[in-house]
PDB file of all heavy atoms in Angstrom:
ATOM      1  N   LEU A   1       6.373 -28.377  35.296  1.00  0.00           N
ATOM      2  CA  LEU A   1       6.185 -29.646  34.708  1.00  0.00           C
ATOM      3  C   LEU A   1       5.834 -29.543  33.168  1.00  0.00           C
ATOM      4  O   LEU A   1       6.271 -30.255  32.343  1.00  0.00           O
ATOM      5  CB  LEU A   1       5.208 -30.407  35.410  1.00  0.00           C
ATOM      6  CG  LEU A   1       5.593 -30.942  36.799  1.00  0.00           C
ATOM      7  CD1 LEU A   1       4.479 -31.497  37.575  1.00  0.00           C
ATOM      8  CD2 LEU A   1       6.773 -31.948  36.728  1.00  0.00           C
ATOM      9  N   GLY A   2       4.997 -28.482  32.955  1.00  0.00           N
ATOM     10  CA  GLY A   2       4.493 -28.241  31.479  1.00  0.00           C
ATOM     11  C   GLY A   2       5.777 -27.781  30.669  1.00  0.00           C
ATOM     12  O   GLY A   2       5.943 -28.280  29.564  1.00  0.00           O
ATOM     13  N   ASN A   3       6.628 -27.014  31.237  1.00  0.00           N
ATOM     14  CA  ASN A   3       7.807 -26.422  30.602  1.00  0.00           C
ATOM     15  C   ASN A   3       8.761 -27.651  30.321  1.00  0.00           C
ATOM     16  O   ASN A   3       9.331 -27.736  29.235  1.00  0.00           O
ATOM     17  CB  ASN A   3       8.531 -25.400  31.375  1.00  0.00           C
ATOM     18  CG  ASN A   3       9.816 -24.933  30.693  1.00  0.00           C
ATOM     19  OD1 ASN A   3       9.740 -24.236  29.668  1.00  0.00           O
ATOM     20  ND2 ASN A   3      10.960 -25.161  31.356  1.00  0.00           N
ATOM     21  N   ALA A   4       8.924 -28.532  31.258  1.00  0.00           N
ATOM     22  CA  ALA A   4       9.864 -29.633  31.167  1.00  0.00           C
ATOM     23  C   ALA A   4       9.315 -30.565  29.885  1.00  0.00           C
ATOM     24  O   ALA A   4      10.119 -31.016  29.196  1.00  0.00           O
ATOM     25  CB  ALA A   4       9.891 -30.481  32.378  1.00  0.00           C
ATOM     26  N   MET A   5       7.958 -30.728  29.789  1.00  0.00           N
ATOM     27  CA  MET A   5       7.477 -31.483  28.714  1.00  0.00           C
ATOM     28  C   MET A   5       7.688 -30.831  27.349  1.00  0.00           C
ATOM     29  O   MET A   5       8.237 -31.495  26.484  1.00  0.00           O
ATOM     30  CB  MET A   5       5.944 -31.593  28.920  1.00  0.00           C
ATOM     31  CG  MET A   5       5.459 -32.481  30.059  1.00  0.00           C
ATOM     32  SD  MET A   5       3.702 -32.441  30.277  1.00  0.00           S
ATOM     33  CE  MET A   5       3.093 -32.959  28.769  1.00  0.00           C
ATOM     34  N   LEU A   6       7.510 -29.597  27.302  1.00  0.00           N
ATOM     35  CA  LEU A   6       7.649 -28.916  26.074  1.00  0.00           C
ATOM     36  C   LEU A   6       9.246 -28.807  25.611  1.00  0.00           C
ATOM     37  O   LEU A   6       9.578 -29.056  24.459  1.00  0.00           O
ATOM     38  CB  LEU A   6       7.100 -27.346  26.093  1.00  0.00           C
ATOM     39  CG  LEU A   6       5.574 -27.389  26.235  1.00  0.00           C
ATOM     40  CD1 LEU A   6       5.137 -25.951  26.495  1.00  0.00           C
ATOM     41  CD2 LEU A   6       4.985 -27.944  24.963  1.00  0.00           C
ATOM     42  N   MET A   7      10.043 -28.559  26.650  1.00  0.00           N
ATOM     43  CA  MET A   7      11.448 -28.423  26.351  1.00  0.00           C
ATOM     44  C   MET A   7      11.994 -29.832  26.009  1.00  0.00           C
ATOM     45  O   MET A   7      12.923 -29.952  25.053  1.00  0.00           O
ATOM     46  CB  MET A   7      12.194 -27.882  27.506  1.00  0.00           C
ATOM     47  CG  MET A   7      12.039 -26.420  27.788  1.00  0.00           C
ATOM     48  SD  MET A   7      12.438 -25.321  26.386  1.00  0.00           S
ATOM     49  CE  MET A   7      14.352 -25.323  26.591  1.00  0.00           C
ATOM     50  N   GLY A   8      11.474 -30.870  26.611  1.00  0.00           N
ATOM     51  CA  GLY A   8      11.911 -32.115  26.196  1.00  0.00           C
ATOM     52  C   GLY A   8      11.532 -32.596  24.780  1.00  0.00           C
ATOM     53  O   GLY A   8      12.426 -33.126  24.106  1.00  0.00           O
ATOM     54  N   ALA A   9      10.327 -32.159  24.386  1.00  0.00           N
ATOM     55  CA  ALA A   9       9.979 -32.433  23.015  1.00  0.00           C
ATOM     56  C   ALA A   9      10.814 -31.553  21.996  1.00  0.00           C
ATOM     57  O   ALA A   9      11.209 -32.135  20.952  1.00  0.00           O
ATOM     58  CB  ALA A   9       8.513 -31.941  22.723  1.00  0.00           C
ATOM     59  N   LEU A  10      11.151 -30.330  22.332  1.00  0.00           N
ATOM     60  CA  LEU A  10      11.966 -29.518  21.512  1.00  0.00           C
ATOM     61  C   LEU A  10      13.411 -30.047  21.443  1.00  0.00           C
ATOM     62  O   LEU A  10      13.944 -30.184  20.212  1.00  0.00           O
ATOM     63  CB  LEU A  10      12.074 -28.094  22.154  1.00  0.00           C
ATOM     64  CG  LEU A  10      11.125 -27.050  21.578  1.00  0.00           C
ATOM     65  CD1 LEU A  10      11.282 -25.823  22.369  1.00  0.00           C
ATOM     66  CD2 LEU A  10      11.432 -26.831  20.160  1.00  0.00           C
ATOM     67  N   GLU A  11      13.923 -30.486  22.522  1.00  0.00           N
ATOM     68  CA  GLU A  11      15.433 -31.024  22.377  1.00  0.00           C
ATOM     69  C   GLU A  11      15.406 -32.348  21.718  1.00  0.00           C
ATOM     70  O   GLU A  11      16.417 -32.640  21.032  1.00  0.00           O
ATOM     71  CB  GLU A  11      15.950 -31.264  23.880  1.00  0.00           C
ATOM     72  CG  GLU A  11      16.126 -29.861  24.556  1.00  0.00           C
ATOM     73  CD  GLU A  11      16.338 -29.956  26.091  1.00  0.00           C
ATOM     74  OE1 GLU A  11      16.378 -31.058  26.531  1.00  0.00           O
ATOM     75  OE2 GLU A  11      16.537 -28.917  26.664  1.00  0.00           O
ATOM     76  N   SER A  12      14.297 -33.168  21.817  1.00  0.00           N
ATOM     77  CA  SER A  12      14.351 -34.398  21.051  1.00  0.00           C
ATOM     78  C   SER A  12      14.266 -34.196  19.534  1.00  0.00           C
ATOM     79  O   SER A  12      14.894 -34.736  18.714  1.00  0.00           O
ATOM     80  CB  SER A  12      13.048 -35.175  21.462  1.00  0.00           C
ATOM     81  OG  SER A  12      12.881 -36.341  20.710  1.00  0.00           O
ATOM     82  N   VAL A  13      13.396 -33.254  19.090  1.00  0.00           N
ATOM     83  CA  VAL A  13      13.333 -32.757  17.731  1.00  0.00           C
ATOM     84  C   VAL A  13      14.621 -32.155  17.137  1.00  0.00           C
ATOM     85  O   VAL A  13      15.100 -32.491  16.129  1.00  0.00           O
ATOM     86  CB  VAL A  13      12.141 -31.741  17.554  1.00  0.00           C
ATOM     87  CG1 VAL A  13      12.232 -31.121  16.125  1.00  0.00           C
ATOM     88  CG2 VAL A  13      10.822 -32.497  17.637  1.00  0.00           C
ATOM     89  N   GLU A  14      15.207 -31.354  17.993  1.00  0.00           N
ATOM     90  CA  GLU A  14      16.434 -30.707  17.568  1.00  0.00           C
ATOM     91  C   GLU A  14      17.614 -31.682  17.351  1.00  0.00           C
ATOM     92  O   GLU A  14      18.502 -31.535  16.516  1.00  0.00           O
ATOM     93  CB  GLU A  14      16.958 -29.705  18.662  1.00  0.00           C
ATOM     94  CG  GLU A  14      16.168 -28.384  18.663  1.00  0.00           C
ATOM     95  CD  GLU A  14      16.651 -27.461  19.751  1.00  0.00           C
ATOM     96  OE1 GLU A  14      16.968 -27.886  20.948  1.00  0.00           O
ATOM     97  OE2 GLU A  14      16.799 -26.226  19.454  1.00  0.00           O
ATOM     98  N   ALA A  15      17.563 -32.860  18.073  1.00  0.00           N
ATOM     99  CA  ALA A  15      18.633 -33.857  17.918  1.00  0.00           C
ATOM    100  C   ALA A  15      18.478 -34.626  16.649  1.00  0.00           C
ATOM    101  O   ALA A  15      19.421 -35.371  16.264  1.00  0.00           O
ATOM    102  CB  ALA A  15      18.662 -34.699  19.177  1.00  0.00           C
ATOM    103  N   GLU A  16      17.333 -34.575  16.033  1.00  0.00           N
ATOM    104  CA  GLU A  16      17.142 -35.447  14.811  1.00  0.00           C
ATOM    105  C   GLU A  16      17.870 -34.822  13.694  1.00  0.00           C
ATOM    106  O   GLU A  16      17.931 -33.626  13.480  1.00  0.00           O
ATOM    107  CB  GLU A  16      15.613 -35.634  14.604  1.00  0.00           C
ATOM    108  CG  GLU A  16      14.887 -36.317  15.573  1.00  0.00           C
ATOM    109  CD  GLU A  16      13.504 -36.770  15.199  1.00  0.00           C
ATOM    110  OE1 GLU A  16      13.354 -37.202  14.021  1.00  0.00           O
ATOM    111  OE2 GLU A  16      12.550 -36.587  15.943  1.00  0.00           O
ATOM    112  N   ASN A  17      18.298 -35.765  12.784  1.00  0.00           N
ATOM    113  CA  ASN A  17      19.025 -35.386  11.597  1.00  0.00           C
ATOM    114  C   ASN A  17      18.050 -35.142  10.452  1.00  0.00           C
ATOM    115  O   ASN A  17      18.044 -35.891   9.426  1.00  0.00           O
ATOM    116  CB  ASN A  17      20.096 -36.458  11.189  1.00  0.00           C
ATOM    117  CG  ASN A  17      20.925 -36.004  10.048  1.00  0.00           C
ATOM    118  OD1 ASN A  17      21.161 -34.788   9.821  1.00  0.00           O
ATOM    119  ND2 ASN A  17      21.412 -37.028   9.293  1.00  0.00           N
ATOM    120  N   ILE A  18      17.216 -34.163  10.524  1.00  0.00           N
ATOM    121  CA  ILE A  18      16.200 -33.770   9.478  1.00  0.00           C
ATOM    122  C   ILE A  18      16.292 -32.312   9.293  1.00  0.00           C
ATOM    123  O   ILE A  18      16.914 -31.583   9.885  1.00  0.00           O
ATOM    124  CB  ILE A  18      14.811 -34.261   9.954  1.00  0.00           C
ATOM    125  CG1 ILE A  18      14.463 -33.640  11.397  1.00  0.00           C
ATOM    126  CG2 ILE A  18      14.612 -35.732  10.050  1.00  0.00           C
ATOM    127  CD1 ILE A  18      13.028 -33.943  11.871  1.00  0.00           C
ATOM    128  N   THR A  19      15.549 -31.878   8.234  1.00  0.00           N
ATOM    129  CA  THR A  19      15.657 -30.405   7.822  1.00  0.00           C
ATOM    130  C   THR A  19      14.833 -29.562   8.863  1.00  0.00           C
ATOM    131  O   THR A  19      14.108 -30.113   9.719  1.00  0.00           O
ATOM    132  CB  THR A  19      14.883 -30.172   6.533  1.00  0.00           C
ATOM    133  OG1 THR A  19      13.378 -30.496   6.724  1.00  0.00           O
ATOM    134  CG2 THR A  19      15.453 -31.118   5.402  1.00  0.00           C
ATOM    135  N   GLY A  20      15.093 -28.314   8.860  1.00  0.00           N
ATOM    136  CA  GLY A  20      14.559 -27.464   9.744  1.00  0.00           C
ATOM    137  C   GLY A  20      12.937 -27.393   9.647  1.00  0.00           C
ATOM    138  O   GLY A  20      12.254 -27.349  10.603  1.00  0.00           O
ATOM    139  N   LEU A  21      12.483 -27.598   8.424  1.00  0.00           N
ATOM    140  CA  LEU A  21      10.969 -27.604   8.164  1.00  0.00           C
ATOM    141  C   LEU A  21      10.470 -28.843   8.878  1.00  0.00           C
ATOM    142  O   LEU A  21       9.436 -28.658   9.493  1.00  0.00           O
ATOM    143  CB  LEU A  21      10.737 -27.670   6.663  1.00  0.00           C
ATOM    144  CG  LEU A  21       9.237 -27.712   6.365  1.00  0.00           C
ATOM    145  CD1 LEU A  21       8.545 -26.431   6.628  1.00  0.00           C
ATOM    146  CD2 LEU A  21       9.016 -28.139   4.820  1.00  0.00           C
ATOM    147  N   MET A  22      11.075 -29.956   8.657  1.00  0.00           N
ATOM    148  CA  MET A  22      10.564 -31.192   9.348  1.00  0.00           C
ATOM    149  C   MET A  22      10.518 -31.172  10.815  1.00  0.00           C
ATOM    150  O   MET A  22       9.727 -31.568  11.643  1.00  0.00           O
ATOM    151  CB  MET A  22      11.304 -32.409   8.837  1.00  0.00           C
ATOM    152  CG  MET A  22      11.138 -32.755   7.428  1.00  0.00           C
ATOM    153  SD  MET A  22       9.380 -32.947   7.032  1.00  0.00           S
ATOM    154  CE  MET A  22       8.935 -34.347   8.070  1.00  0.00           C
ATOM    155  N   LYS A  23      11.633 -30.502  11.379  1.00  0.00           N
ATOM    156  CA  LYS A  23      11.757 -30.283  12.831  1.00  0.00           C
ATOM    157  C   LYS A  23      10.621 -29.410  13.295  1.00  0.00           C
ATOM    158  O   LYS A  23      10.013 -29.729  14.282  1.00  0.00           O
ATOM    159  CB  LYS A  23      13.110 -29.606  13.195  1.00  0.00           C
ATOM    160  CG  LYS A  23      14.260 -30.584  13.078  1.00  0.00           C
ATOM    161  CD  LYS A  23      15.637 -29.854  13.447  1.00  0.00           C
ATOM    162  CE  LYS A  23      16.740 -30.872  13.344  1.00  0.00           C
ATOM    163  NZ  LYS A  23      18.091 -30.211  13.664  1.00  0.00           N
ATOM    164  N   LEU A  24      10.375 -28.321  12.599  1.00  0.00           N
ATOM    165  CA  LEU A  24       9.287 -27.398  12.992  1.00  0.00           C
ATOM    166  C   LEU A  24       7.900 -28.223  12.895  1.00  0.00           C
ATOM    167  O   LEU A  24       7.132 -28.050  13.857  1.00  0.00           O
ATOM    168  CB  LEU A  24       9.190 -26.300  11.973  1.00  0.00           C
ATOM    169  CG  LEU A  24       8.217 -25.190  12.268  1.00  0.00           C
ATOM    170  CD1 LEU A  24       8.481 -24.514  13.637  1.00  0.00           C
ATOM    171  CD2 LEU A  24       8.213 -24.081  11.211  1.00  0.00           C
ATOM    172  N   ARG A  25       7.699 -29.022  11.914  1.00  0.00           N
ATOM    173  CA  ARG A  25       6.488 -29.667  11.804  1.00  0.00           C
ATOM    174  C   ARG A  25       6.229 -30.718  13.033  1.00  0.00           C
ATOM    175  O   ARG A  25       5.226 -30.822  13.648  1.00  0.00           O
ATOM    176  CB  ARG A  25       6.355 -30.562  10.500  1.00  0.00           C
ATOM    177  CG  ARG A  25       5.957 -29.629   9.292  1.00  0.00           C
ATOM    178  CD  ARG A  25       5.904 -30.458   8.034  1.00  0.00           C
ATOM    179  NE  ARG A  25       5.354 -29.572   6.991  1.00  0.00           N
ATOM    180  CZ  ARG A  25       5.662 -29.897   5.610  1.00  0.00           C
ATOM    181  NH1 ARG A  25       6.309 -30.949   5.335  1.00  0.00           N
ATOM    182  NH2 ARG A  25       5.211 -29.112   4.750  1.00  0.00           N
ATOM    183  N   LYS A  26       7.375 -31.430  13.327  1.00  0.00           N
ATOM    184  CA  LYS A  26       7.309 -32.405  14.341  1.00  0.00           C
ATOM    185  C   LYS A  26       7.016 -31.736  15.747  1.00  0.00           C
ATOM    186  O   LYS A  26       6.296 -32.173  16.536  1.00  0.00           O
ATOM    187  CB  LYS A  26       8.573 -33.217  14.422  1.00  0.00           C
ATOM    188  CG  LYS A  26       8.821 -34.143  13.201  1.00  0.00           C
ATOM    189  CD  LYS A  26       9.865 -35.170  13.496  1.00  0.00           C
ATOM    190  CE  LYS A  26       9.434 -36.222  14.383  1.00  0.00           C
ATOM    191  NZ  LYS A  26      10.342 -37.387  14.524  1.00  0.00           N
ATOM    192  N   PHE A  27       7.715 -30.588  16.003  1.00  0.00           N
ATOM    193  CA  PHE A  27       7.507 -29.937  17.246  1.00  0.00           C
ATOM    194  C   PHE A  27       6.137 -29.367  17.274  1.00  0.00           C
ATOM    195  O   PHE A  27       5.429 -29.448  18.450  1.00  0.00           O
ATOM    196  CB  PHE A  27       8.424 -28.816  17.431  1.00  0.00           C
ATOM    197  CG  PHE A  27       8.183 -27.971  18.732  1.00  0.00           C
ATOM    198  CD1 PHE A  27       8.286 -28.592  19.940  1.00  0.00           C
ATOM    199  CD2 PHE A  27       7.734 -26.653  18.658  1.00  0.00           C
ATOM    200  CE1 PHE A  27       7.982 -27.888  21.071  1.00  0.00           C
ATOM    201  CE2 PHE A  27       7.370 -25.958  19.750  1.00  0.00           C
ATOM    202  CZ  PHE A  27       7.499 -26.536  21.047  1.00  0.00           C
ATOM    203  N   MET A  28       5.557 -28.780  16.266  1.00  0.00           N
ATOM    204  CA  MET A  28       4.274 -28.227  16.288  1.00  0.00           C
ATOM    205  C   MET A  28       3.209 -29.230  16.556  1.00  0.00           C
ATOM    206  O   MET A  28       2.243 -29.072  17.260  1.00  0.00           O
ATOM    207  CB  MET A  28       3.956 -27.552  14.902  1.00  0.00           C
ATOM    208  CG  MET A  28       4.646 -26.219  14.706  1.00  0.00           C
ATOM    209  SD  MET A  28       4.591 -25.518  13.091  1.00  0.00           S
ATOM    210  CE  MET A  28       2.800 -25.237  12.962  1.00  0.00           C
ATOM    211  N   SER A  29       3.475 -30.460  15.984  1.00  0.00           N
ATOM    212  CA  SER A  29       2.508 -31.601  16.184  1.00  0.00           C
ATOM    213  C   SER A  29       2.606 -32.007  17.689  1.00  0.00           C
ATOM    214  O   SER A  29       1.501 -32.252  18.337  1.00  0.00           O
ATOM    215  CB  SER A  29       2.885 -32.822  15.352  1.00  0.00           C
ATOM    216  OG  SER A  29       2.061 -33.819  15.574  1.00  0.00           O
ATOM    217  N   GLU A  30       3.744 -32.120  18.278  1.00  0.00           N
ATOM    218  CA  GLU A  30       3.851 -32.524  19.645  1.00  0.00           C
ATOM    219  C   GLU A  30       3.336 -31.383  20.557  1.00  0.00           C
ATOM    220  O   GLU A  30       2.628 -31.598  21.556  1.00  0.00           O
ATOM    221  CB  GLU A  30       5.369 -32.647  20.058  1.00  0.00           C
ATOM    222  CG  GLU A  30       5.989 -33.894  19.467  1.00  0.00           C
ATOM    223  CD  GLU A  30       5.333 -35.163  19.826  1.00  0.00           C
ATOM    224  OE1 GLU A  30       4.979 -35.242  21.063  1.00  0.00           O
ATOM    225  OE2 GLU A  30       5.222 -36.078  19.010  1.00  0.00           O
ATOM    226  N   TYR A  31       3.498 -30.156  20.243  1.00  0.00           N
ATOM    227  CA  TYR A  31       3.040 -29.016  21.100  1.00  0.00           C
ATOM    228  C   TYR A  31       1.452 -29.042  21.073  1.00  0.00           C
ATOM    229  O   TYR A  31       0.790 -28.860  21.996  1.00  0.00           O
ATOM    230  CB  TYR A  31       3.508 -27.724  20.431  1.00  0.00           C
ATOM    231  CG  TYR A  31       3.217 -26.435  21.299  1.00  0.00           C
ATOM    232  CD1 TYR A  31       4.231 -25.981  22.094  1.00  0.00           C
ATOM    233  CD2 TYR A  31       2.057 -25.855  21.258  1.00  0.00           C
ATOM    234  CE1 TYR A  31       4.041 -24.798  22.856  1.00  0.00           C
ATOM    235  CE2 TYR A  31       1.837 -24.597  21.991  1.00  0.00           C
ATOM    236  CZ  TYR A  31       2.844 -24.219  22.761  1.00  0.00           C
ATOM    237  OH  TYR A  31       2.667 -23.060  23.578  1.00  0.00           O
ATOM    238  N   ALA A  32       0.959 -29.338  19.867  1.00  0.00           N
ATOM    239  CA  ALA A  32      -0.626 -29.378  19.778  1.00  0.00           C
ATOM    240  C   ALA A  32      -1.194 -30.444  20.648  1.00  0.00           C
ATOM    241  O   ALA A  32      -2.176 -30.352  21.284  1.00  0.00           O
ATOM    242  CB  ALA A  32      -0.945 -29.569  18.434  1.00  0.00           C
ATOM    243  N   VAL A  33      -0.465 -31.538  20.681  1.00  0.00           N
ATOM    244  CA  VAL A  33      -0.998 -32.663  21.558  1.00  0.00           C
ATOM    245  C   VAL A  33      -0.844 -32.287  23.004  1.00  0.00           C
ATOM    246  O   VAL A  33      -1.793 -32.443  23.837  1.00  0.00           O
ATOM    247  CB  VAL A  33      -0.059 -33.950  21.333  1.00  0.00           C
ATOM    248  CG1 VAL A  33      -0.321 -34.975  22.396  1.00  0.00           C
ATOM    249  CG2 VAL A  33      -0.299 -34.511  19.892  1.00  0.00           C
ATOM    250  N   MET A  34       0.288 -31.583  23.332  1.00  0.00           N
ATOM    251  CA  MET A  34       0.522 -31.187  24.836  1.00  0.00           C
ATOM    252  C   MET A  34      -0.450 -30.092  25.263  1.00  0.00           C
ATOM    253  O   MET A  34      -0.793 -29.958  26.427  1.00  0.00           O
ATOM    254  CB  MET A  34       1.980 -30.701  25.045  1.00  0.00           C
ATOM    255  CG  MET A  34       2.900 -31.894  24.871  1.00  0.00           C
ATOM    256  SD  MET A  34       4.644 -31.252  25.136  1.00  0.00           S
ATOM    257  CE  MET A  34       5.612 -32.729  24.600  1.00  0.00           C
ATOM    258  N   ALA A  35      -0.962 -29.427  24.271  1.00  0.00           N
ATOM    259  CA  ALA A  35      -1.877 -28.245  24.555  1.00  0.00           C
ATOM    260  C   ALA A  35      -3.313 -28.943  25.137  1.00  0.00           C
ATOM    261  O   ALA A  35      -4.075 -28.221  25.709  1.00  0.00           O
ATOM    262  CB  ALA A  35      -2.254 -27.466  23.366  1.00  0.00           C
ATOM    263  N   THR A  36      -3.431 -30.248  24.906  1.00  0.00           N
ATOM    264  CA  THR A  36      -4.727 -30.900  25.330  1.00  0.00           C
ATOM    265  C   THR A  36      -4.491 -31.690  26.648  1.00  0.00           C
ATOM    266  O   THR A  36      -5.573 -32.296  27.070  1.00  0.00           O
ATOM    267  CB  THR A  36      -5.200 -31.821  24.209  1.00  0.00           C
ATOM    268  OG1 THR A  36      -4.327 -32.885  24.112  1.00  0.00           O
ATOM    269  CG2 THR A  36      -5.304 -31.109  22.860  1.00  0.00           C
ATOM    270  N   ILE A  37      -3.335 -31.768  27.206  1.00  0.00           N
ATOM    271  CA  ILE A  37      -3.175 -32.603  28.319  1.00  0.00           C
ATOM    272  C   ILE A  37      -2.611 -31.868  29.568  1.00  0.00           C
ATOM    273  O   ILE A  37      -1.687 -30.975  29.422  1.00  0.00           O
ATOM    274  CB  ILE A  37      -2.310 -33.826  28.063  1.00  0.00           C
ATOM    275  CG1 ILE A  37      -1.013 -33.416  27.452  1.00  0.00           C
ATOM    276  CG2 ILE A  37      -3.030 -34.806  27.062  1.00  0.00           C
ATOM    277  CD1 ILE A  37      -0.043 -34.569  27.279  1.00  0.00           C
ATOM    278  N   ASP A  38      -3.000 -32.227  30.767  1.00  0.00           N
ATOM    279  CA  ASP A  38      -2.698 -31.617  32.011  1.00  0.00           C
ATOM    280  C   ASP A  38      -1.608 -30.584  32.049  1.00  0.00           C
ATOM    281  O   ASP A  38      -1.915 -29.348  31.775  1.00  0.00           O
ATOM    282  CB  ASP A  38      -2.419 -32.751  33.112  1.00  0.00           C
ATOM    283  CG  ASP A  38      -1.458 -33.788  32.539  1.00  0.00           C
ATOM    284  OD1 ASP A  38      -0.425 -33.494  31.978  1.00  0.00           O
ATOM    285  OD2 ASP A  38      -1.773 -35.000  32.685  1.00  0.00           O
ATOM    286  N   PHE A  39      -0.378 -30.927  32.227  1.00  0.00           N
ATOM    287  CA  PHE A  39       0.668 -29.898  32.534  1.00  0.00           C
ATOM    288  C   PHE A  39       0.967 -29.129  31.264  1.00  0.00           C
ATOM    289  O   PHE A  39       1.372 -27.946  31.314  1.00  0.00           O
ATOM    290  CB  PHE A  39       1.895 -30.556  33.102  1.00  0.00           C
ATOM    291  CG  PHE A  39       1.550 -31.305  34.434  1.00  0.00           C
ATOM    292  CD1 PHE A  39       1.898 -32.647  34.573  1.00  0.00           C
ATOM    293  CD2 PHE A  39       0.987 -30.629  35.483  1.00  0.00           C
ATOM    294  CE1 PHE A  39       1.596 -33.300  35.764  1.00  0.00           C
ATOM    295  CE2 PHE A  39       0.623 -31.318  36.610  1.00  0.00           C
ATOM    296  CZ  PHE A  39       0.946 -32.633  36.720  1.00  0.00           C
ATOM    297  N   GLY A  40       1.000 -29.720  30.106  1.00  0.00           N
ATOM    298  CA  GLY A  40       1.177 -28.996  28.894  1.00  0.00           C
ATOM    299  C   GLY A  40       0.108 -27.977  28.616  1.00  0.00           C
ATOM    300  O   GLY A  40       0.375 -26.771  28.331  1.00  0.00           O
ATOM    301  N   ALA A  41      -1.192 -28.296  28.992  1.00  0.00           N
ATOM    302  CA  ALA A  41      -2.203 -27.339  28.903  1.00  0.00           C
ATOM    303  C   ALA A  41      -2.037 -26.224  29.865  1.00  0.00           C
ATOM    304  O   ALA A  41      -2.449 -25.091  29.605  1.00  0.00           O
ATOM    305  CB  ALA A  41      -3.525 -28.014  29.123  1.00  0.00           C
ATOM    306  N   CYS A  42      -1.363 -26.482  31.026  1.00  0.00           N
ATOM    307  CA  CYS A  42      -1.279 -25.479  32.071  1.00  0.00           C
ATOM    308  C   CYS A  42      -0.392 -24.371  31.565  1.00  0.00           C
ATOM    309  O   CYS A  42      -0.716 -23.182  31.745  1.00  0.00           O
ATOM    310  CB  CYS A  42      -0.608 -26.103  33.249  1.00  0.00           C
ATOM    311  SG  CYS A  42      -1.710 -27.187  34.284  1.00  0.00           S
ATOM    312  N   ILE A  43       0.715 -24.702  31.029  1.00  0.00           N
ATOM    313  CA  ILE A  43       1.659 -23.585  30.623  1.00  0.00           C
ATOM    314  C   ILE A  43       1.087 -22.763  29.445  1.00  0.00           C
ATOM    315  O   ILE A  43       1.402 -21.657  29.214  1.00  0.00           O
ATOM    316  CB  ILE A  43       3.149 -24.175  30.272  1.00  0.00           C
ATOM    317  CG1 ILE A  43       4.107 -23.052  30.244  1.00  0.00           C
ATOM    318  CG2 ILE A  43       3.048 -24.862  28.891  1.00  0.00           C
ATOM    319  CD1 ILE A  43       5.615 -23.527  30.241  1.00  0.00           C
ATOM    320  N   ILE A  44       0.252 -23.378  28.693  1.00  0.00           N
ATOM    321  CA  ILE A  44      -0.354 -22.768  27.550  1.00  0.00           C
ATOM    322  C   ILE A  44      -1.578 -21.947  27.951  1.00  0.00           C
ATOM    323  O   ILE A  44      -1.883 -20.809  27.512  1.00  0.00           O
ATOM    324  CB  ILE A  44      -0.770 -23.734  26.455  1.00  0.00           C
ATOM    325  CG1 ILE A  44       0.414 -24.359  25.904  1.00  0.00           C
ATOM    326  CG2 ILE A  44      -1.694 -23.076  25.359  1.00  0.00           C
ATOM    327  CD1 ILE A  44       0.244 -25.648  25.056  1.00  0.00           C
ATOM    328  N   SER A  45      -2.411 -22.465  28.856  1.00  0.00           N
ATOM    329  CA  SER A  45      -3.643 -21.841  29.180  1.00  0.00           C
ATOM    330  C   SER A  45      -3.761 -20.994  30.383  1.00  0.00           C
ATOM    331  O   SER A  45      -4.589 -20.050  30.432  1.00  0.00           O
ATOM    332  CB  SER A  45      -4.732 -23.017  29.469  1.00  0.00           C
ATOM    333  OG  SER A  45      -4.811 -23.761  28.300  1.00  0.00           O
TER     334      SER A  45
END
């Protein structure tokens, strides 16, 4: 479930028509949020 959350965030960011830097920033922000909640925290911790 944690992996599904992270991959979902990645695929959503990848689909956006923005620069690589902006995609990286957006994913990092999403990843940081997921690191604090149930299943996202599981795959990380």
